[in-house]
Amino acid sequence: MTSETAVEIRDLVKDFRSPLRGVKAFRAVDGVSLRIQAGEVYGLIGPNGSGKSTTMKALLGLVAPSSGTCSIFGKDSLKVDSRNDVGFLPENPYFYKHLTGAETLRFYGKLCNLRGKLLENRVTELLELVDLTNARDRRLGGYSKGMLQRIGLAQAMVQDPRLLILDEPTAGVDPIGSRQIRDLIMTLRDRGITVFLCSHLLEQVQEVCDHVGIIFQGKMVKEGRLDDLIAIEDQTEVVMKNASPELMEKIRTLVEQEESATLLRMGKPRTTLERLFLRETQIDKK
Amino acid sequence: MTSQNSKTSNRWLQPRRVTVIAMHTFTQLVRMKVFYFLSVFALIVIAANFLDLPQFNGPEAIGVGELQMLKSTCMGVMKLFAVVFVIAATALLLPKDVEDRTLYTILAKPVPRLDYLVGKIAGVLLLVFVSLLLMDLLMTVVLSFRTNHLLVDQLSWAEARGWTQEAIDSERRDIIAQGPTWSFQGAVFAIFLQSAIIGAVALLLSTFSTSTLFTIILSFLIYLIGHFQADAADYYKATAEAGSNAFTTTMTKLLSLIFPNFQLFNVIDAVIEGIPMTMNAIISLTGLSLFYVVLYTMLSWFVFSDKEF
């Protein structure tokens, strides 16, 4: 992992002014600062209307900051050049329904100055990556929600950007589609691509992100490494396989002999409903 | 790939990028089944070809009258298609991109906003041009067929009535002048130029309007004002000169600059009547149209460059 800074947001403030005189401007983002190192997966979480999407739009130059600065790999976000290294997937994207999957990727690729064989190879590679090879010549009007999210992810990656910005990448997608998208994000992280995503699906963020920022009412209220933020410092977890009841009893006795320690819980860990669903639907498929 | 892209110039109006957006807009409109209208036009042309003209002016004027009516009907439909289509398509495309958030994905790529706007209007105008070209071809074929048919009929009728050679030649010239001449092609090009101006007006309005309906209605209103502005300007100019009102004079000049004078396109009606269109008229109309299209597109960019999504 390099130490290059992929994203830097400094004291970002965004006010939306009302066209009516006397009506106070609405402050959507209030002094947010964050820094994402290259190769990290950063999750910005917060309730609806907390300023996540506005922060992302400011980073993409879609809204102009009222004050503060945003930069991508050292380039000012308001400059077109900063977008050479960025791919963006908006929340609930629709894209052009009249285009097929392959045509969509070709269109976005051409906008990034890709041409000829290089573009065609890239289109094929991306369709394989997002598992849409079979739907490459089908118009997007006939795609499911999950397929649209995946083609959206593919278009975001078309010029092989170093940074991906994903706004609610799994919103409205079924658990299988959601898992595919999360697997893709992890594949991208392994390839060294920086991912900046926002979501209010906390479990999913926890699964894929290295760093997390919590934004509430436009303000960054907590930020840091995920492991540091969620670790409970005064507790220790031991997970064993095939432990006999006798062994469990021995452990219980040992802990009881230790004055400073307290046994809080013993029992079988539970799987998540999502894992159960995925396992069962995989069996059905077979 | 990334480093190669990083080095790529993102200067404004890169022809390849504008062409990509224009061709995409063209494809989008074609797949919205716009060309179905052409089959309606074909039916109108064929139907107009078979219409009989009431004989108010005597049998000798039938040839010229029939051709004028055929041209008038077809060019009226062409003009209607071009103006309605260019306003509706331009007013619809931009808000649709915002609503569907496809605009975000485009502007998140290294695409200057000016390139996006120019690409959009170019795509719409390309479709209008191709449609007019196809309609022009169809009409030229039908008009040629009808002109030749009428020439044979009318001249044999004139000979049978013992017209002098001079009168017959004059009748031939009159009928040919109503046929598919270069002036006729120039008039079709003038329809395209007129629709290009009103398309650029619709583009400007759609950059700040939040309602497609508002854009469409206002564009039509400006189209109408364009037909009357010259008369109004003349009137106010005369009033101002009489009363030496500097404010009215300035406002009149300003309005003349903002609203295009569509009366200059009355040459289309002149061509329908068989009056030739000069090359100078075509050049000056092209220059005027180019001025207004560039002016409105630049104003659109001025608004759009600071627009937040």
Side-chain angles (χ1 to χ4, degrees):
Chain A
M1 197 180 284
T2 63
S3 58
E4 190 182 5
T5 302
V7 171
E8 183 158 25
I9 298 176
R10 277 191 197 169
D11 304 320
L12 176 68
V13 174
K14 181 62 197 171
D15 292 327
F16 289 106
R17 297 188 189 286
S18 168
L20 299 173
R21 273 189 166 189
V23 177
K24 205 180 159 193
F26 169 68
R27 181 156 288 188
V29 181
D30 191 1
V32 166
S33 296
L34 63 90
R35 183 186 287 227
I36 306 173
Q37 296 303 118
E40 275 182 1
V41 178
Y42 188 102
L44 189 62
I45 56 176
N48 290 336
S50 56
K52 305 187 296 287
S53 294
T54 307
T55 304
M56 287 192 160
K57 284 179 182 175
L59 189 58
L60 287 158
L62 293 171
V63 297
S66 303
S67 68
T69 56
C70 301
S71 65
I72 295 170
F73 291 107
K75 288 176 186 162
D76 184 350
S77 288
L78 292 172
K79 306 276 182 227
V80 176
D81 283 346
S82 70
R83 260 94 80 188
N84 280 332
D85 278 327
V86 187
F88 175 54
L89 173 69
E91 186 185 1
N92 296 321
Y94 286 97
F95 300 110
Y96 293 109
K97 288 178 187 169
H98 67 279
L99 296 181
T100 66
E103 284 172 340
T104 301
L105 297 188
R106 258 181 234 125
F107 169 64
Y108 285 102
K110 283 178 185 171
L111 288 181
C112 301
N113 289 305
L114 300 180
R115 293 288 184 281
K117 203 156 179 58
L118 183 71
L119 175 61
E120 281 310 308
N121 291 342
R122 186 74 185 139
V123 168
T124 307
E125 183 194 338
L126 284 171
L127 286 169
E128 269 172 33
L129 184 72
V130 298
D131 196 19
L132 286 173
T133 306
N134 292 336
R136 68 174 289 148
D137 296 322
R138 208 193 302 169
R139 287 196 184 175
L140 298 199
Y143 273 30
S144 69
K145 188 83 208 291
M147 290 163 88
L148 279 176
Q149 288 291 107
R150 279 184 282 144
I151 201 73
L153 204 53
Q155 70 75 25
M157 290 188 288
V158 75
Q159 84 274 34
D160 202 13
R162 289 189 286 165
L163 170 69
L164 274 179
I165 299 179
L166 314 174
D167 192 357
E168 303 282 0
T170 56
V173 181
D174 68 36
I176 298 171
S178 176
R179 163 56 55 195
Q180 284 174 320
I181 290 169
R182 274 178 286 159
D183 287 347
L184 264 171
I185 293 170
M186 288 196 263
T187 308
L188 296 171
R189 179 176 58 185
D190 294 343
R191 289 185 181 183
I193 294 172
T194 313
V195 180
F196 178 29
L197 63 90
C198 80
S199 177
H200 49 241
L201 299 173
L202 307 183
E203 194 186 340
Q204 297 180 1
V205 172
Q206 185 176 345
E207 203 175 339
V208 295
C209 293
D210 307 309
H211 273 73
V212 170
I214 302 173
I215 190 168
F216 182 62
Q217 292 180 341
K219 288 188 164 84
M220 187 71 89
V221 291
K222 194 92 180 171
E223 205 211 355
R225 277 187 61 78
L226 182 71
D227 290 342
D228 300 339
L229 291 177
I230 62 173
I232 304 171
E233 290 302 327
D234 61 348
Q235 291 185 16
T236 308
E237 195 175 51
V238 179
V239 180
M240 291 180 291
K241 198 174 177 182
N242 298 328
S244 65
E246 293 77 25
L247 176 61
M248 298 297 286
E249 199 45 51
K250 278 182 191 171
I251 293 169
R252 187 189 298 274
T253 314
L254 270 174
V255 176
E256 280 169 359
Q257 287 168 0
E258 194 71 38
E259 267 181 33
S260 61
T262 314
L263 185 70
L264 294 176
R265 183 174 59 245
M266 277 180 99
K268 292 188 185 299
R270 292 183 180 189
T271 184
T272 62
L273 187 59
E274 190 209 7
R275 284 191 198 122
L276 176 72
F277 176 85
L278 289 171
R279 196 173 66 216
E280 293 304 314
T281 48
Q282 280 304 109
I283 290 165
D284 287 349
K285 271 189 182 175
K286 284 171 196 169
Chain B
M1 202 185 292
T2 308
S3 58
Q4 178 198 326
N5 281 323
S6 302
K7 285 171 195 165
T8 309
S9 161
N10 291 314
R11 62 186 163 80
W12 294 331
L13 292 177
Q14 201 190 76
R16 286 173 95 177
R17 196 162 37 212
V18 172
T19 309
V20 169
I21 297 169
M23 287 314 294
H24 169 261
T25 308
F26 180 81
T27 314
Q28 186 180 10
L29 293 169
V30 168
R31 291 187 185 177
M32 284 164 97
K33 300 185 174 55
V34 168
F35 281 140
Y36 278 16
F37 177 83
L38 294 179
S39 50
V40 176
F41 177 75
L43 285 173
I44 292 170
V45 173
I46 292 161
N49 188 31
F50 289 107
L51 284 177
D52 285 329
L53 191 73
Q55 295 182 20
F56 297 123
N57 299 324
E60 69 282 0
I62 283 178
V64 170
E66 279 193 16
L67 292 175
Q68 277 183 357
M69 199 182 74
L70 178 65
K71 282 195 294 183
S72 173
T73 309
C74 296
M75 290 187 100
V77 175
M78 285 162 94
K79 201 168 166 183
L80 184 74
F81 164 81
V83 171
V84 170
F85 175 78
V86 85
I87 290 176
T90 315
L92 184 78
L93 288 178
L94 216 146
K96 192 171 158 54
D97 272 5
V98 178
E99 200 179 307
D100 289 352
R101 292 178 190 164
T102 39
L103 182 65
Y104 297 1
T105 56
I106 294 171
L107 296 183
K109 301 286 181 206
V111 176
R113 293 187 180 197
L114 179 62
D115 290 26
Y116 171 79
L117 283 180
V118 174
K120 279 280 161 191
I121 188 74
V124 174
L125 293 184
L126 181 66
L127 192 101
V128 173
F129 186 79
V130 171
S131 304
L132 285 174
L133 193 70
L134 291 171
M135 286 192 266
D136 184 25
L137 278 173
L138 179 70
M139 203 180 145
T140 304
V141 169
V142 172
L143 200 59
S144 300
F145 170 78
R146 193 72 181 153
T147 309
N148 291 333
H149 186 73
L150 280 168
L151 267 176
V152 173
D153 275 6
Q154 287 293 99
L155 297 184
S156 56
W157 178 85
E159 277 171 11
R161 268 152 192 76
W163 284 23
T164 61
Q165 190 55 43
E166 201 180 320
I168 291 173
D169 287 345
S170 168
E171 177 73 1
R172 180 187 284 118
R173 276 196 301 276
D174 286 349
I175 292 176
I176 289 173
Q178 298 297 337
T181 57
W182 283 111
S183 292
F184 168 74
Q185 308 301 338
V188 176
F189 184 60
I191 292 177
F192 170 73
L193 293 175
Q194 199 178 15
S195 61
I197 296 176
I198 201 70
V201 169
L203 181 76
L204 171 61
L205 294 174
S206 71
T207 52
F208 59 80
S209 156
T210 48
S211 153
T212 306
L213 192 65
F214 172 80
T215 307
I216 291 174
I217 292 171
L218 205 59
S219 300
F220 274 112
L221 210 62
I222 290 175
Y223 179 67
L224 287 177
I225 291 171
H227 280 92
F228 301 115
Q229 71 103 325
D231 292 339
D234 287 345
Y235 170 75
Y236 284 120
K237 203 175 162 189
T239 317
E241 276 167 7
S244 301
N245 189 337
F247 175 75
T248 315
T249 315
T250 314
M251 284 305 288
T252 308
K253 281 179 182 167
L254 193 67
L255 284 175
S256 305
L257 187 72
I258 293 170
F259 295 109
N261 179 8
F262 284 134
Q263 277 187 2
L264 295 169
F265 289 88
N266 286 349
V267 284
I268 299 166
D269 298 326
V271 169
I272 292 171
E273 286 165 18
I275 300 163
M277 192 175 178
T278 61
M279 186 50 85
N280 279 346
I282 294 176
I283 292 169
S284 62
L285 278 182
T286 308
L288 182 87
S289 307
L290 208 61
F291 165 76
Y292 277 113
V293 169
V294 172
L295 173 75
Y296 291 134
T297 307
M298 287 298 123
L299 288 173
S300 308
W301 179 45
F302 182 71
V303 178
F304 194 65
S305 60
D306 287 333
K307 202 171 166 78
E308 298 190 324
F309 303 100

